[in-house]
């Protein structure tokens, strides 16, 4: 098969995937609405592991890629659910009301992948990662993240809410709006 034919086939598959993705996100919205009503947690790690294992092409040459695909899809769904819940979250009161900077810290296990998930959530929300530091303490990674962007955006609020909800050690260390930053002061 020549390159043009292969690309045409990929385009057809991508169109089908686009439609299915839209349906999946509609269902993720319904899940978020239900969780908001019932108070259930967005992040259910045991269920996520079960889904990833059930959907992964276990005996395939694409094992690693299919696992990564479903992990990423779950992460996108969680991010969307936090985005939907962000305006109601009291934990976000310390963030700038608009454009500004927030410093966030958290500790996690060295192999659990949370720093990557949190960095990716910030990136998807359009936040600029100004600084990211990691140091090892007592077999834990202690991370400090400085984010800049528009914190009036539900996407930005959702990303920070995800960090706060998925890791109980996460705290907003400091935040300041652009006016304070231009004047050289920080709270």
């Amino acid at each position: 098969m020549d390159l043009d034919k292969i690309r045409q086939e990929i385009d057809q598959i991508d169109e089908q995937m686009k439609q299915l993705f839209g349906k999946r996100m509609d269902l993720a919205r319904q899940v978020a609405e239900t969780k908001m009503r019932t108070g259930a947690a967005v992040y259910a790690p045991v269920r996520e592991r079960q889904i990833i294992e059930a959907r992964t092409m276990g005996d395939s040459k694409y094992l690693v890629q299919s696992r990564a695909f479903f992990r990423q899809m779950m992460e996108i769904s969680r991010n969307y659910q936090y985005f939907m819940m962000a305006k109601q979250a009291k934990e976000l009161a310390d963030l700038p009301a608009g454009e500004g900077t927030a410093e966030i810290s958290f500790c996690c296990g060295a192999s659990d992948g949370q720093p990557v998930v949190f960095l990716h959530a910030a990136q998807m929300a359009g936040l600029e990662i100004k600084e990211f530091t990691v140091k090892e303490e007592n077999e834990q990674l202690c991370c400090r993240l400085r984010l800049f962007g528009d914190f009036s955006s539900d996407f930005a609020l959702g990303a920070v809410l995800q960090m706060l909800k998925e890791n109980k050690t996460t705290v907003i260390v400091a935040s300041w709006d652009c006016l304070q930053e231009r004047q050289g002061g920080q709270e």
Side-chain angles (χ1 to χ4, degrees):
M1 193 180 305
D2 75 345
L3 188 56
D4 286 338
K5 288 245 187 241
I6 295 169
R7 286 180 174 161
Q8 286 174 4
E9 228 176 288
I10 288 173
D11 290 346
Q12 290 172 357
I13 291 168
D14 286 351
E15 187 59 37
Q16 292 170 6
M17 289 176 68
K18 182 172 75 172
Q19 300 301 318
L20 291 172
F21 179 75
K23 288 179 183 179
R24 192 179 199 292
M25 293 307 290
D26 287 342
L27 293 169
R29 178 186 46 76
Q30 292 176 37
V31 167
E33 290 167 351
T34 301
K35 287 179 178 180
M36 285 189 282
R37 269 195 322 275
T38 63
V42 169
Y43 186 46
V46 172
R47 172 141 170 80
E48 265 193 37
R49 278 192 300 277
Q50 290 169 341
I51 290 169
I52 290 167
E53 288 305 313
R55 309 286 195 281
T56 304
M57 301 167 75
D59 60 350
S60 158
K61 62 183 175 185
Y62 304 117
L63 171 67
V64 173
Q65 293 80 8
S66 66
R67 186 171 286 139
F69 174 78
F70 283 103
R71 265 197 194 110
Q72 186 69 35
M73 196 165 47
M74 298 296 290
E75 185 182 323
I76 290 167
S77 292
R78 281 197 335 267
N79 182 268
Y80 179 64
Q81 290 176 43
Y82 286 116
F83 149 77
M84 289 185 58
M85 298 174 173
K87 286 293 187 201
Q88 300 173 0
K90 293 173 181 43
E91 303 96 325
L92 303 173
D94 292 334
L95 291 174
E99 196 169 90
T101 301
E103 284 191 27
I104 297 166
S105 73
F106 62 94
C107 293
C108 61
S111 63
D112 69 11
Q114 274 190 327
V116 174
V117 170
F118 292 171
L119 289 169
H120 191 245
Q123 180 190 30
M124 283 194 306
L127 295 171
E128 185 179 337
I129 299 163
K130 289 288 196 178
E131 186 177 339
F132 179 65
T133 58
V134 180
K135 63 181 175 176
E136 192 171 348
E137 291 180 14
N138 301 324
E139 298 181 27
Q140 291 267 303
L141 296 180
C142 293
C143 307
R144 193 171 189 97
L145 181 60
R146 183 180 291 188
L147 301 171
F148 173 80
D150 181 3
F151 288 94
S152 66
S153 150
D154 288 349
F155 290 112
L157 294 173
V160 176
L161 184 60
Q162 181 172 359
M163 295 174 202
L164 291 168
K165 294 287 190 178
E166 291 186 9
N167 183 309
K168 299 302 178 200
T169 68
T170 302
V171 294
I172 300 170
V173 177
S175 68
W176 56 96
D177 63 29
C178 276
L179 179 61
Q180 290 171 309
E181 194 162 1
R182 279 192 289 274
Q183 294 172 345
Q186 297 179 17
E187 289 185 337

